[in-house]
Amino acid sequence: MAITSPAEKVRKMYEESADSYADMMDSEIDLPVYANTLSRLAERVANLSGPLLDTSCGSGHMLARYREIYDRKRALVGIDLSSRMVAIARSRLGGSTEAMIGDMRDLKAIESGRVAAVLSFFAIHHLGPEEVLLAFKEWYRVLCPAGQLVVASWEGAGPVDYGDEYDVVALRYSKDELFTWTEAAGFAVDRCAVETVAEMPMKAVYLEGTKV
């Protein structure tokens, strides 16, 4: 299996693409998958205290949409490798949201058992298999009892094709692999579905779990 690119190389890619990514998300956030995912999440955390944590928050669109539509009172925390992404997220979310530079594999700034939900949308493809499991265990650590996990990832096998634009190596993982790692980290899997992504040559797997 190919080895994923180091974090510094991934960071550089997102520093360079942050503004165009944010422009793309202005329209993509209106896709039904985001509304469906966030609606289910809002119901599942209704009786849980603690913030919603996006471990690869990018331009902050998912956190902003959650606050706008579903819950204006819950604290929000966003973490991203890219300083430019974090700056864009801070601008979008304002002072009521904590956005910081960080690595989804090591959430040392977050206390154990503090978080109501962890989001990771299209980021674990930058991790090798052992790193994915470590990240899941770290997310388990920060979640409160019955805390919710929501993950989206490119489904399949082999590298993600970035074309000629970037030479970053990232990996697709199967639904079964994602399911296995989630359970190995201590979660109960509540939903795991593979869906076609419009205008993309790849499918995505969407997983939701509960800390048990």
Side-chain angles (χ1 to χ4, degrees), residues 60-97:
H61 279 80
M62 285 194 72
L63 291 176
R65 180 56 55 92
Y66 182 85
R67 183 179 63 187
E68 175 188 0
I69 302 297
Y70 302 101
D71 191 341
R72 293 185 176 273
K73 295 182 179 180
R74 187 177 298 275
L76 305 176
V77 179
I79 292 176
D80 202 273
L81 274 178
S82 162
S83 60
R84 179 58 187 156
M85 285 289 198
V86 169
I88 294 171
R90 285 174 177 164
S91 177
R92 171 167 286 101
L93 294 162
S96 62
T97 299

Side-chain angles (χ1 to χ4, degrees), residues 40-157:
R40 286 193 301 268
L41 178 62
E43 291 181 6
R44 294 164 72 89
V45 300
N47 295 321
L48 299 177
S49 60
L52 175 66
L53 168 63
D54 191 337
T55 65
S56 47
C57 70
S59 51
H61 279 80
M62 285 194 72
L63 291 176
R65 180 56 55 92
Y66 182 85
R67 183 179 63 187
E68 175 188 0
I69 302 297
Y70 302 101
D71 191 341
R72 293 185 176 273
K73 295 182 179 180
R74 187 177 298 275
L76 305 176
V77 179
I79 292 176
D80 202 273
L81 274 178
S82 162
S83 60
R84 179 58 187 156
M85 285 289 198
V86 169
I88 294 171
R90 285 174 177 164
S91 177
R92 171 167 286 101
L93 294 162
S96 62
T97 299
E98 188 177 5
M100 65 186 83
I101 300 167
D103 190 317
M104 60 183 160
R105 297 167 296 182
D106 182 7
L107 305 176
K108 53 181 173 289
I110 309 297
E111 296 177 11
S112 298
R114 175 192 170 200
V115 174
V118 166
L119 287 172
S120 173
F121 254 55
F122 301 107
I124 64 171
H125 57 279
H126 292 300
L127 305 179
E130 293 182 357
E131 293 176 309
V132 175
L133 180 55
L134 288 175
F136 275 55
K137 289 180 177 179
E138 180 71 341
W139 302 343
Y140 186 93
R141 178 187 68 80
V142 301
L143 281 166
C144 67
Q148 296 298 301
L149 175 69
V150 179
V151 178
S153 177
W154 297 119
E155 200 275 341

Side-chain angles (χ1 to χ4, degrees), residues 6-72:
E8 198 53 48
K9 194 167 189 176
V10 175
R11 186 198 319 273
K12 183 176 184 295
M13 180 180 74
Y14 286 113
E15 291 285 350
E16 294 173 354
S17 62
D19 291 276
S20 60
Y21 175 87
D23 290 342
M24 176 198 71
M25 284 299 298
D26 284 341
S27 58
E28 185 167 318
I29 194 64
D30 293 323
L31 292 174
V33 64
Y34 292 100
N36 295 338
T37 298
L38 292 176
S39 177
R40 286 193 301 268
L41 178 62
E43 291 181 6
R44 294 164 72 89
V45 300
N47 295 321
L48 299 177
S49 60
L52 175 66
L53 168 63
D54 191 337
T55 65
S56 47
C57 70
S59 51
H61 279 80
M62 285 194 72
L63 291 176
R65 180 56 55 92
Y66 182 85
R67 183 179 63 187
E68 175 188 0
I69 302 297
Y70 302 101
D71 191 341
R72 293 185 176 273

